[in-house]
Amino acid sequence: MAARGAGQVSAAGLIGAIDIGGSKIEVGIADRKGNLLAQERFKTQSERGPEAVVSQAVAALKVLVGERNEKLVGIGVGCVGPLDLVAGVIKSPPNFPGWQHVPLKSMLEKGLDAPVLIENDANAAALAEFHFGAGQGASILVYVTVSTGVGGGIIVNGRLLHGVGGGAGEFGHQTIHPGGLPCGCGNCGCLEVYASGTAIVGLAKAAIANGSGRAIEKLCVAQGVPLHAGHVALAASAGDAAALTIWSGAIEALALGLGNVISTVAPDRLVIGGGVSLAGDLLLQPLREGLARHVRMVPIEQVAISITGFEGNAGLFGAVAVGLSVWGETAAAT
Ligand SMILES: [Zn+2]
């Protein structure tokens, strides 16, 4: 991966990167090859309101830039949605109560005096995979994040597919069970309700409550961290019946949903990120088996499937990738 650690500034001008997540904000600067030079992170105190949060990000980025005698030439932002990508506006994210139609792009451009491009966080992560990660060289890259929710992005010949309303890649909201469980989006039976980390943890909590999830609970207590999907994966791999039912159900849902995506766009590369992907081979192996069952018209053996190598840092690398594209567009236009 190119974009990591301290690199050398190849030419004048810095790329700014801002990743705005539900719980934390990361800012960074990179050179024009995408090498991350410095970074900073702080908690997203969304209750302080958008002006205060954006000002904090601007100030943090200015400090990083101020330490180098160079100017920002483009700023990329990865942000939780929903967004109006054309206007650069955060619409009304469920994670940030009270934030309504925040003109993020113009606020940042005013504060930092450089062109800003905003992407939703999953699309930005897809760009990070394409430029710096497991998606390098792909003709058609599908990136899926399985985390609190399920989202993703599609990159065709190096370009992100946005689609109408920027809605491309919302894999989590395809119906996989007609008339199934209600989803936060208003539909019923969405993939996200069956395969997300939230769904897996919800089922595990229910199993613990009814006494069948003792093995999961034991792992969770032994590790001393809050219950997460990885505990279910581990208990399933040890043969626990309740964990196996939950884990294999989630993987089968994922295989159905991603099988539909593969049958539709026939990607040569599929990269899986998000917290649930930390299960590694415990996820990959049964997923491959499920995809082989569901995908019949696309040569599935020609789809390279892998787990992200970014772990916790995909967001900032994504913002760097977005920043590189805004700099590239600006440079081409002048
Ligand atoms: Zn949905």
Side-chain angles (χ1 to χ4, degrees), residues 302-328:
Q302 292 180 35
V303 184
I305 305 170
S306 57
I307 301 280
T308 180
F310 284 120
E311 295 189 3
N313 225 354
L316 196 57
F317 287 116
V320 170
V322 176
L324 283 170
S325 64
V326 68
W327 162 65

Side-chain angles (χ1 to χ4, degrees), residues 119-145:
E119 268 302 345
N120 84 47
D121 47 1
N123 278 349
L127 280 174
E129 295 295 347
F130 181 77
H131 287 287
F132 313 122
Q136 289 180 79
S139 297
I140 302 179
L141 167 67
V142 167
Y143 170 78
V144 60
T145 170

